Amino acid sequence: MKYIFLLFIFFISSAIAEDDCVFDVDAQKEIVQEYIQKNKDAQPGQTDIDIVLSRGNESINISRGGCDHFEISVVSISNRQYSEQDFFDKSIVLIEEFSKEIVDIELLKEAISNKNWEEFEGRYFINIDMATVVVLSYSAEGRVHVTASFQ
């Protein structure tokens, strides 16, 4: 009887945990599948919420999802060397293409133009509004990482 009660508690807590997610992971999986079907340069990534794109000498990895906060992470890898301004320009292009549903592009451009960010250990943190944060980083060797999160 004791084990049945524990089993019952386990199932209830599992159901509650799934229902407590603010963002629908299944919806993100559908968006990823639709994107892959519509774009010939897109392939499935390592999980159901990842996309891998090959565009010439550039590889782009996109990941979407979250439970308590929604996040879109984009990593561009190429053989291009970036100056700081080139990096910001590339970041805007990536966000416009993959994260515009959660980032106000004009506010992002304004923040970058006004240097309204906090830099820490090579990462640029930009608060777009009360609920949206963008984190940008790059390497001179051709890697640009953009993460937009909405809480």
Side-chain angles (χ1 to χ4, degrees), residues 3-4 11 15 36 44-45 65 78 91 114 127-129 136 151:
Y3 295 110
I4 292 174
F11 285 121
I36 291 169
S78 69
S91 296
N114 295 330
N127 289 321
I128 301 300
D129 54 39
L136 312 172
Q151 301 200 18

Side-chain angles (χ1 to χ4, degrees), residues 2-54:
K2 177 179 166 185
Y3 295 110
I4 292 174
F5 177 73
L6 290 174
L7 196 57
F8 177 72
I9 295 295
F10 172 76
F11 285 121
I12 286 178
S13 65
S14 295
I16 290 172
E18 283 183 23
D19 291 340
D20 282 349
C21 270
V22 177
F23 299 100
D24 185 357
V25 175
D26 289 333
Q28 297 310 308
K29 291 177 184 178
E30 287 179 31
I31 290 170
V32 166
Q33 287 305 315
E34 288 174 14
Y35 187 91
I36 291 169
Q37 290 172 357
K38 291 179 183 177
N39 295 279
K40 64 180 180 196
D41 57 347
Q43 299 294 320
Q46 292 182 351
T47 70
D48 292 341
I49 57 172
D50 296 335
I51 301 167
V52 177
L53 298 172
S54 294

Side-chain angles (χ1 to χ4, degrees), residues 85-111:
Q85 186 57 52
D86 291 339
F87 152 68
F88 283 125
D89 292 343
K90 180 64 175 180
S91 296
I92 290 169
V93 167
L94 292 171
I95 289 172
E96 282 181 320
E97 184 172 358
F98 302 110
S99 304
K100 65 183 173 191
E101 68 202 73
I102 62 173
V103 176
D104 183 321
I105 300 299
E106 292 309 313
L107 290 177
L108 175 65
K109 288 178 181 179
E110 182 180 318

